[in-house]
């Protein structure tokens, strides 16, 4: 059962709104952080190169540097005042570069062949990295896929590595985000995909993995949709781009949920993506899910690119919306712990900002900093703004009401079972959804 909530946000913009909007070198803004001097460090992506831009508190450039090493993922300011950049090299290896406070390279490391997923620094300056490892067969294509978690010392030397998931026979898993939890463990988010078929379409599921402080897996959760159609579903395919632990030890996430579009002969022609967000309890079981569609952008579809916990325990969501009528729009949506919309703002940039990566953060004065790129001239952009609602910033919230009933539990072979310890089980509900536990 689905419920449509119409949120009308028409608050006055007295003393609020956009603070600055600056443009820099050609490329796409991937990640941004406020630095200890109240300025900003921006990680950008060019063609087979990534870019560091250091600014003051007004977004004015202090220095910038280019590094010809592949595809950037994220940046951290380290405890010593330098920076750690995670990326995937041109050769396809998960890699790190450590720089000083002026962007000069101090060391660089490459690990396994795969895709970088996320990185955090511990209080002892050690590093935790999450990534996907891909093994190449003698035939030149990938047929084994691992999700990995590794710990290194402050120089990038590996201390331990944990294999969290493995996939074969065309299945694959991917990690998009990594955070430390209150119990000193780690939460990873991303997605997994079965082999694609034109008769099944995109039918991958959301993936969450919780580990302890030593990288041992405590639980994994997958969320697969049951299909359907229309704006109120968006459940054929899900992928999680970002996750945050809530103050009540649950997990609030955002990403993309998709509906497949099939032709009359049963072949999948395309899909429609929706900005999706939701919450898990402390053990990873779904509490609620919702989808965002701006009312002023008819026939739009989009993707939530990042979610960030604010100082007051709420969350700011950054979503990219595509529409054929009014160009592309980037929106800021503030929600509370139950997913209720407190504020929604479409950034006034035409054509709009496209955001890649985890690129929306709250800064010291409670404003929000956003990076992405300007589609007019292809330049990296940095915007500082409050989420002040205006009359044209109205939004539809499509909520999945959780009144489904469990039909049966099956094992990997499809046999009904009551389950045993350490056995993979599938919980099948009357609305068509399936949970893998």
């Amino acid at each position: 059962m689905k419920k449509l909530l119409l949120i009308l946000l028409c608050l006055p913009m007295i003393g609020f709104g956009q603070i600055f909007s600056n443009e820099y070198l050609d490329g796409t803004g991937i990640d941004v952080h406020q630095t200890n001097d109240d300025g900003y460090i921006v990680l950008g992506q060019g063609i087979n190169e990534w870019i560091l831009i250091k600014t003051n508190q007004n977004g004015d450039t202090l220095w910038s540097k280019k590094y010809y090493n592949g595809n950037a993922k994220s940046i951290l300011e380290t405890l010593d005042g330098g920076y750690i950049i995670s990326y995937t090299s041109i050769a396809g290896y998960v890699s790190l570069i450590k720089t000083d406070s002026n962007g000069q390279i101090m060391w660089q490391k490459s690990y396994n062949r795969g895709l970088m997923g996320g990185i955090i620094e511990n209080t002892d300056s050690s590093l935790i990295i999450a990534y996907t490892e891909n093994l190449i067969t003698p035939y030149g294509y990938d047929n084994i896929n691992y999700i990995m978690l590794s710990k290194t010392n402050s120089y990038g030397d590996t201390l331990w590595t944990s294999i969290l998931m493995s996939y074969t026979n065309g299945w694959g898993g991917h990690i998009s985000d990594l955070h430390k939890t209150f119990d000193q463990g780690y939460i990873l988010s991303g997605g997994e995909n079965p082999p694609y078929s034109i008769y099944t379409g995109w039918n991958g599921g959301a993936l969450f993995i919780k580990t302890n402080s030593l990288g041992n897996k405590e639980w994994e959760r997958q969320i697969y949709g049951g299909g359907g159609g229309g704006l109120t579903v968006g459940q054929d395919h899900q992928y999680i781009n970002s996750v945050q632990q809530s103050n009540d030890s649950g997990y609030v996430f955002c990403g993309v949920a998709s509906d497949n579009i099939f032709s009359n002969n049963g072949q999948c022609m395309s899909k429609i993506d929706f900005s999706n967000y939701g919450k898990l309890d402390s053990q990873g079981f779904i509490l609620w899910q919702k989808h965002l569609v701006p009312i002023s952008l008819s026939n739009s579809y989009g993707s939530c690119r990042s979610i960030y916990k604010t100082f007051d325990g709420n969350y700011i969501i950054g979503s990219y919306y595509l529409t054929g009528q009014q160009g592309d729009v980037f929106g800021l949506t503030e929600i509370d712990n139950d997913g209720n919309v407190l504020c929604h703002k479409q950034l006034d940039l035409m054509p709009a900002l496209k955001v890649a990566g985890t690129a929306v953060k709250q800064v010291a004065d409670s404003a929000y900093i956003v990076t992405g790129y300007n589609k007019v001239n292809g330049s990296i952009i940095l915007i500082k703004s409050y989420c002040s609602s205006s009359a044209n910033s109205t939004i539809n919230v499509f909520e999945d009401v959780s009144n489904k009933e469990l039909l049966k539990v099956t094992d990997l072979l499809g046999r009904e079972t009551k389950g045993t310890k350490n056995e993979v089980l599938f919980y099948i509900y009357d609305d068509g959804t399936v949970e893998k536990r």
Side-chain angles (χ1 to χ4, degrees), residues 26-101:
D26 289 348
T28 298
I30 298 296
D31 200 6
V32 61
H33 282 274
Q34 187 171 37
T35 51
N36 291 332
D37 61 1
D38 292 330
Y40 304 97
I41 187 73
V42 180
L43 176 64
Q45 179 67 53
I47 299 175
N48 289 327
E49 66 181 16
W50 46 267
I51 305 160
L52 281 188
I53 303 169
K54 179 67 176 73
T55 80
N56 62 17
Q57 61 183 359
N58 298 316
D60 303 317
T61 301
L62 300 178
W63 54 259
S64 64
K65 295 184 183 295
K66 292 185 177 182
Y67 308 81
Y68 299 93
N69 281 295
N71 297 313
K73 171 63 179 176
S74 62
I75 186 169
L76 294 176
E77 184 178 27
T78 51
L79 296 174
D80 62 3
Y83 305 103
I84 282 281
I85 300 94
S86 68
Y87 66 101
T88 302
S89 70
I90 295 175
Y93 288 88
V94 173
S95 304
L96 298 176
I97 280 184
K98 174 69 168 67
T99 78
D100 63 17
S101 60

Side-chain angles (χ1 to χ4, degrees), residues 88 91-94 111-116 131-137 141-148 165 167 171-175:
T88 302
Y93 288 88
V94 173
Y111 304 95
N112 299 323
R113 182 182 182 275
L115 292 173
M116 178 62 75
Y131 58 96
T132 302
E133 180 183 0
N134 299 317
L135 298 186
I136 299 180
T137 71
Y141 58 88
D142 297 339
N143 71 343
I144 302 177
N145 176 255
Y146 297 109
I147 291 177
M148 313 285 285
M165 302 283 289
Y167 300 91
W171 281 73
H174 304 277
I175 292 301

Side-chain angles (χ1 to χ4, degrees), residues 14-309:
I14 302 174
F16 294 93
Q18 191 165 296
I19 299 171
F20 67 71
S21 175
N22 292 351
E23 298 183 27
Y24 308 99
L25 303 171
D26 289 348
T28 298
I30 298 296
D31 200 6
V32 61
H33 282 274
Q34 187 171 37
T35 51
N36 291 332
D37 61 1
D38 292 330
Y40 304 97
I41 187 73
V42 180
L43 176 64
Q45 179 67 53
I47 299 175
N48 289 327
E49 66 181 16
W50 46 267
I51 305 160
L52 281 188
I53 303 169
K54 179 67 176 73
T55 80
N56 62 17
Q57 61 183 359
N58 298 316
D60 303 317
T61 301
L62 300 178
W63 54 259
S64 64
K65 295 184 183 295
K66 292 185 177 182
Y67 308 81
Y68 299 93
N69 281 295
N71 297 313
K73 171 63 179 176
S74 62
I75 186 169
L76 294 176
E77 184 178 27
T78 51
L79 296 174
D80 62 3
Y83 305 103
I84 282 281
I85 300 94
S86 68
Y87 66 101
T88 302
S89 70
I90 295 175
Y93 288 88
V94 173
S95 304
L96 298 176
I97 280 184
K98 174 69 168 67
T99 78
D100 63 17
S101 60
N102 295 312
Q104 300 296 324
I105 294 176
M106 300 174 65
W107 56 258
Q108 58 189 83
K109 299 280 186 178
S110 290
Y111 304 95
N112 299 323
R113 182 182 182 275
L115 292 173
M116 178 62 75
I119 183 171
I120 59 177
E121 184 184 29
N122 291 318
T123 54
D124 61 358
S125 297
S126 63
L127 304 170
I128 302 291
I129 56 174
Y131 58 96
T132 302
E133 180 183 0
N134 299 317
L135 298 186
I136 299 180
T137 71
Y139 304 101
Y141 58 88
D142 297 339
N143 71 343
I144 302 177
N145 176 255
Y146 297 109
I147 291 177
M148 313 285 285
L149 190 70
S150 293
K151 182 176 183 179
T152 79
N153 62 19
S154 60
Y155 298 98
D157 301 316
T158 301
L159 300 177
W160 54 251
T161 295
S162 179
I163 299 176
L164 301 179
M165 302 283 289
S166 62
Y167 300 91
T168 58
N169 299 322
W171 281 73
H174 304 277
I175 292 301
S176 60
D177 203 8
L178 167 71
H179 287 280
K180 197 164 190 174
T181 52
F182 300 146
D183 62 1
Q184 304 304 303
Y186 306 100
I187 183 73
L188 297 78
S189 67
E192 59 181 26
N193 293 292
Y196 176 78
S197 165
I198 61 173
Y199 296 105
T200 59
W202 289 267
N203 58 350
L207 174 65
F208 301 91
I209 304 172
K210 171 68 172 65
T211 79
N212 63 16
S213 61
L214 300 176
N216 299 313
K217 183 168 62 176
E218 296 181 339
W219 50 258
E220 67 182 77
R221 301 287 181 261
Q222 293 91 346
I223 303 173
Y224 282 86
L231 291 173
T232 59
V233 182
Q235 294 291 316
D236 289 336
H237 172 86
Q238 290 195 58
Y239 187 84
I240 305 304
N241 286 319
S242 186
V243 66
Q244 296 273 293
Q245 190 171 29
S246 55
N247 290 339
D248 58 6
S249 296
Y251 301 95
V252 178
F253 62 87
C254 80
V256 59
S258 306
D259 274 342
N260 291 318
I261 300 176
F262 290 92
S263 64
N264 292 334
N265 64 1
Q267 296 186 7
C268 183
M269 306 300 294
S270 62
K271 63 184 176 72
I272 302 176
D273 297 335
F274 303 99
S275 181
N276 177 54
Y277 67 103
K279 186 176 182 181
L280 310 177
D281 66 17
S282 62
Q283 296 302 306
F285 297 114
I286 191 73
L287 296 176
W288 49 260
Q289 284 196 88
K290 302 182 182 184
H291 315 310
L292 298 172
V293 179
I295 295 172
S296 59
L297 302 177
S298 59
N299 299 319
S300 70
Y301 61 98
S303 171
C304 172
R305 307 312 299 266
S306 65
I307 190 166
Y308 190 82
K309 186 162 66 175

